[in-house]
Amino acid sequence: MAEAALFVLFTLFAVAAPLVLYSLVRSEAEDTDRMSREEARERVSRERDDRR
């Protein structure tokens, strides 16, 4: 009986852990700023100029 319970817990963890990780990554991706390629180039060039 204990082996069956351990198997069930392990199976639930094996299914739940990737889903939790996926939801965390997904929520982090939604908080990022989207920009065009040209805007990204301008931002990088400004950051490089600021470092000099």
Side-chain angles (χ1 to χ4, degrees), residues 13 15 33 51:
F13 181 75
V15 171
D33 294 332
R51 291 183 188 163

Side-chain angles (χ1 to χ4, degrees), residues 1-8:
M1 184 68 170
E3 294 87 11
L6 185 61
F7 178 75
V8 168

Side-chain angles (χ1 to χ4, degrees), residues 1 4 7 11 14 16-17 21 23 25 27 31 38 45 48 50 52:
M1 184 68 170
F7 178 75
T11 304
L21 182 61
S23 67
V25 170
S27 67
D31 292 337
E38 189 59 37
S45 67
R48 286 183 182 164
D50 290 344
R52 292 181 186 170

Side-chain angles (χ1 to χ4, degrees), residues 1 5-6 8-9 12 16 18 20 23 27 29-32 37-38 40-42 44 46-47 49:
M1 184 68 170
L6 185 61
V8 168
L9 286 175
L12 285 174
V20 169
S23 67
S27 67
E30 291 173 354
D31 292 337
T32 58
R37 185 178 297 248
E38 189 59 37
R41 285 183 182 148
E42 289 175 10
V44 168
R46 272 188 265 132
E47 289 175 359
D49 291 341

